[in-house]
Amino acid sequence: MTVPIDREHPEAGTAQIAVARLPAKDPAHRIGSLLVNPGGPGGSGAGFARVGGLDQPGTESLYERFDVVGFDPRGVPESTPRITCSPEKLYDTGLNRFPSTRAEYAAFVEHNRAAGEDCLAKTGPMLGHVDTKSAAEDVDAIRSALGEQRISWFGLSYGTELGAVYASSHPGRVDRMVLDGAVDHARPIRQAMIEEAAATEDALLRFSSWCHGSSECALHGQDVLARYDDLASHGAYAKALGRKATGDELASGAYGFLYLRSNWPELGRALAAKDASELAQNSQYATPTYGAYRSIGCQDFPAPFTGVADMRTTAALVRTVAPHSWRYTEYWDLSAGCTGWPLPARNPPQAHPVHGAPPILVVGGAHDPATPLPWARGLAASIDGSSLLTRLDDGHTGLYNSPCAVAAEVDYLVSGVTPGRGAVCR
C-alpha cells in the first residue's frame, strides 16, 4: 500500500508498505485484524506473519479468531524505498566503540557520520522519515485499508514502542493490544543504557551459573565467565569469516543467544568451540537488517553525548554495572552508534501517554537481557487502565520463553479481559 514519505510535505514522494494478511481460520467467530510486529527496529512484520512468527503452543486460537496481519515498517526490507547501507561502512572491525581520547572520539564521530551519509546516498530522503511516529501513522493507514474501525496489536520488543506510539495517537482505534518485551521511550537515554547493561549482565550471570552446574552445557564444571571474558577481550578466529573475529562481534553473538532460554545449551557449545564462527555469525553486526536497525534507531534514540568526557563517564558506568558483558549491550550499540549521525532525530525519547484506549496488556521480564523490567513498569504506568504481567523466568519476551505468558496473552486477546493486578509468571 502507498503512504506519503513526509505527511507534512506530500511533494516529497511516496513509499510502498509491504503487507501480508492471513485470514482467520474460523470466519464465523472472527474478532478482527491482529497486526503483528516482531521488533528490531528493522524486523520484517510481513515475513513474520508469513512464516508463522506467532506459532507457539497455545496460540492456535489467534489464527482461528483473527486475521493476522504483518507489515514491513517504512524502510524495512520488503517496503520501498528500502533502507540500504554498505555493511563495511556501518561496522569497522578496527574502530574503538568506547573512545576514551579526543582523537578516538573524533574518529568515532567521523565513522558514524560517513556511515550515515552512505545510507542516505543509497536510500534517499526516506532515511530521514523512518521514525516511529511516522511508522505509527502508516499503521493507521493500514487499518483504514483493511476496513477496520479498530485493530488489535501484538508487538514484541521494538514493536511495543511502535504499538504504544500508535495507541497514544489513536486510542479510539485500538481494540486489544499486547506489548511484550516492553520498551519505554520516555526514559532518558543514559538511564536506559545503564539499565539495559545491568539486565544483559544479569542474563549472562544466570546463564553462567546454569552452565557451570548443568551437564547439558559444554562448559559444565568450568569457569564459564573466564572463557567468555577471554573471547570478549581478545577475539578469536572464525573460519566462517576467514579472519579473527573481534571481541565486540563475539560478545554481540553471545548476547543474541541469551534471547531464548532454549538456546542456552547452544551458547555453551559456541563458547566452548575452538572455531568462533557460531558466535560471530550470530552477531548483530552480521545481520542484513543492521542498516535499518541503526537508521531507525537514530531517529528514535539519538546519541546523548556532548563530547569524549561525557561518553567516557557513561562508558565507565556501563562497565561498572556490566563488568563482563559491557562490550556489547544493545542500547550502547544503538545510541552511541548515532554519535555523528548526519540526520536529526524526528522522534527522540519522550512520553507517549495513552488515554482513552481499552485495557492494554504490558509484559515484562525480571531477567530479560534486552528490555529490563523497569521499562515495562514505566510503559504500563503511562497507559491508563493497563495491566502489567511480570515474568520471573529468562529470555527476551514472553511469547518465546514463557508458556504462562503465552496463555495470558492469548486469553486476553480472545476475551478482551486483562489478567488481574499483580499477575506473575514464574
Side-chain angles (χ1 to χ4, degrees):
M1 61 171 291
T2 302
V3 298
I5 289 176
D6 182 350
R7 286 178 167 83
E8 295 178 358
H9 300 93
E11 67 276 9
T14 59
Q16 300 297 315
I17 304 298
V19 181
R21 175 176 167 268
L22 305 180
K25 294 180 179 179
D26 184 1
H29 297 95
R30 178 183 178 276
I31 294 170
S33 291
L34 175 64
L35 273 66
V36 295
N37 183 278
S44 170
F48 182 79
R50 281 196 296 266
V51 302
L54 290 180
D55 286 358
Q56 294 292 309
T59 62
E60 297 82 4
S61 60
L62 297 182
Y63 290 98
E64 294 169 0
R65 305 293 301 278
F66 290 94
D67 294 349
V68 175
V69 180
F71 67 99
D72 279 23
R74 48 177 54 213
V76 174
E78 292 188 36
S79 294
T80 56
R82 174 183 179 178
I83 294 171
T84 305
C85 307
S86 300
E88 65 276 9
K89 292 193 176 181
L90 279 173
Y91 180 70
D92 180 350
T93 59
L95 185 72
N96 183 356
R97 295 171 53 252
F98 293 85
S100 59
T101 68
R102 289 183 180 179
E104 288 176 342
Y105 183 79
F108 187 69
V109 170
E110 174 56 24
H111 165 80
N112 292 332
R113 185 201 64 74
E117 293 286 0
D118 172 71
C119 296
L120 181 60
K122 289 180 168 61
T123 305
M126 169 60 94
L127 196 74
H129 299 275
V130 292
D131 60 286
T132 301
K133 278 190 174 181
S134 296
E137 292 308 307
D138 296 341
V139 171
D140 201 53
I142 293 171
R143 176 203 59 78
S144 179
L146 292 170
E148 301 280 17
Q149 292 298 312
R150 297 191 298 171
I151 55 170
S152 294
W153 179 269
F154 200 134
L156 303 170
S157 198
Y158 165 76
T160 68
E161 183 198 345
L162 180 53
V165 171
Y166 179 75
S168 179
S169 300
H170 303 286
R173 295 171 183 167
V174 174
D175 188 3
R176 299 156 198 194
M177 180 172 284
V178 171
L179 305 176
D180 185 357
V183 175
D184 180 10
H185 194 230
R187 295 185 107 66
I189 289 178
R190 288 181 185 82
Q191 179 183 344
M193 282 181 172
I194 303 306
E195 289 171 334
E196 194 202 38
T200 302
E201 182 79 2
D202 169 70
L204 178 63
L205 294 179
R206 287 174 65 85
F207 159 76
S208 173
S209 177
W210 167 83
C211 184
H212 179 79
S214 173
S215 59
E216 292 183 59
C217 188
L219 293 173
H220 171 55
Q222 301 180 44
D223 191 334
V224 181
L225 289 176
R227 174 59 175 165
Y228 174 91
D229 288 343
D230 180 63
L231 289 169
S233 298
H234 303 107
Y237 184 77
K239 185 177 180 180
L241 302 183
R243 62 170 172 82
K244 182 178 181 180
T246 68
D248 289 355
E249 288 173 307
L250 300 183
S252 173
Y255 169 83
F257 281 117
L258 293 173
Y259 266 40
L260 300 181
R261 173 61 181 81
S262 59
N263 279 351
W264 282 12
E266 190 175 356
L267 174 55
R269 291 190 294 272
L271 289 171
K274 292 183 179 180
D275 178 1
S277 292
E278 194 169 2
L279 286 174
Q281 290 179 300
N282 199 50
S283 167
Q284 170 79 298
Y285 309 124
T287 63
T289 59
Y290 189 56
Y293 173 85
R294 172 65 59 80
S295 300
I296 298 170
C298 289
Q299 291 288 300
D300 279 37
F301 306 99
F305 305 117
T306 57
V308 64
D310 180 19
M311 194 173 201
R312 192 166 52 220
T313 298
T314 306
L317 291 172
V318 168
R319 294 186 194 196
T320 297
V321 301
H324 299 285
S325 61
W326 62 269
R327 286 178 182 82
Y328 185 85
T329 59
E330 197 167 354
Y331 225 99
W332 181 273
D333 177 51
L334 188 63
S335 192
C338 298
T339 309
W341 196 254
L343 295 170
R346 290 176 60 87
N347 183 40
Q350 59 191 283
H352 302 284
V354 178
H355 307 297
I360 289 172
L361 176 59
V362 179
V363 181
H367 303 291
D368 189 312
T371 51
L373 183 56
W375 295 6
R377 290 172 175 157
L379 181 60
S382 72
I383 302 172
D384 290 351
S386 67
S387 177
L388 174 63
L389 173 64
T390 301
R391 296 171 39 234
L392 301 183
D393 52 6
D394 297 287
H396 181 43
T397 75
L399 177 66
Y400 294 123
N401 292 282
S402 170
C404 169
V406 171
E409 291 167 343
V410 171
D411 182 69
Y412 157 69
L413 286 170
V414 171
S415 70
V417 179
T418 56
R421 184 180 180 86
V424 175
C425 283
R426 301 183 184 278

